[in-house]
Amino acid sequence: MPYVWDFSAVTRNWTVLLSGLGGTIVLSLAGIAVGILIGAGLAAMRLSGLRVLRWPATAWIEFFRNTPPLVHFFWFFYGLPMAFGITLSSFGAALAALGIQSSAFFAEVFRGGIVSVERGQWEAGRALGMSRARLFRRIILPQAARRMAAPFVERCFELVKTTTLAAALAHHELLYAAMVVVTETYRPLEVYTVVALLFLTVLFAASQVSEWLEARGRAMQGR
């Protein structure tokens, strides 16, 4: 007989799912902030002419870009206490895993945006007597920011979806909240469908805001 959809399990536990959604948003924003801070430093090191800075940054980026994010979650939550006696909460471990893993991708986004600016822009600024800091702030950074906007936003969206791995640490985010509801209601199709729709709603709204900001930036640049 055909499956009978029943979303009453969702409506009865709506507050649990919304609480999980709040946890996902908080973890996402914190992870993005950590990733940006570390990623900016890594990008600067990668662009350095000193091998002592460039090589460690390259090793960090390649390692965390090419290893599974779930392994990072397990390392910080289970590995640190076993190896070093350092215990992190589920939130702390998830934040460390998300921030460090995303920093490798953010670093390459930042570096790619900067090196994409033509060399002549640097030379023209130097010819005008601008300091390196002022040249970077006034000429290079605005051009690089426009070019890195799309991959940066895409990376942020990927990080938001990666927060679901925190459920493996029993951290209260959207997927973990859904798992709790499923164990109580035995309606996995309905619950996980709503989870997908919630992610879709949040990320679609964020993408619209991103496009509006990008269009506004282009309009202001054209004035």
Side-chain angles (χ1 to χ4, degrees), residues 114 117 121-122 135-145:
I114 292 171
V117 178
Q121 299 288 332
W122 291 91
L135 169 60
F136 181 79
R137 186 178 67 254
R138 299 289 297 274
I139 297 178
I140 304 302
L141 186 58
Q143 297 182 62

Side-chain angles (χ1 to χ4, degrees), residues 27-28 31 64 67-81 88-102 155 158-171 173:
L27 182 58
S28 298
F64 284 104
T67 49
L70 183 59
V71 174
H72 306 157
F73 280 78
F74 287 153
W75 279 344
F76 285 107
F77 193 65
Y78 299 110
L80 284 182
L88 298 178
S89 65
S90 60
F91 177 81
L95 176 58
L98 284 170
I100 289 177
Q101 197 255 353
S102 64
R155 187 59 233 166
E158 288 298 320
L159 184 147
V160 173
K161 290 181 284 187
T162 305
T163 59
T164 55
L165 297 179
L169 311 182
H171 177 66
E173 45 74 54

Side-chain angles (χ1 to χ4, degrees), residues 182-204:
V182 168
T183 58
E184 295 176 354
T185 62
Y186 301 100
R187 307 297 298 189
L189 289 181
E190 291 86 345
V191 174
Y192 290 130
T193 297
V194 170
V195 167
L197 292 174
L198 287 173
F199 270 102
L200 174 63
T201 301
V202 170
L203 293 180
F204 179 76

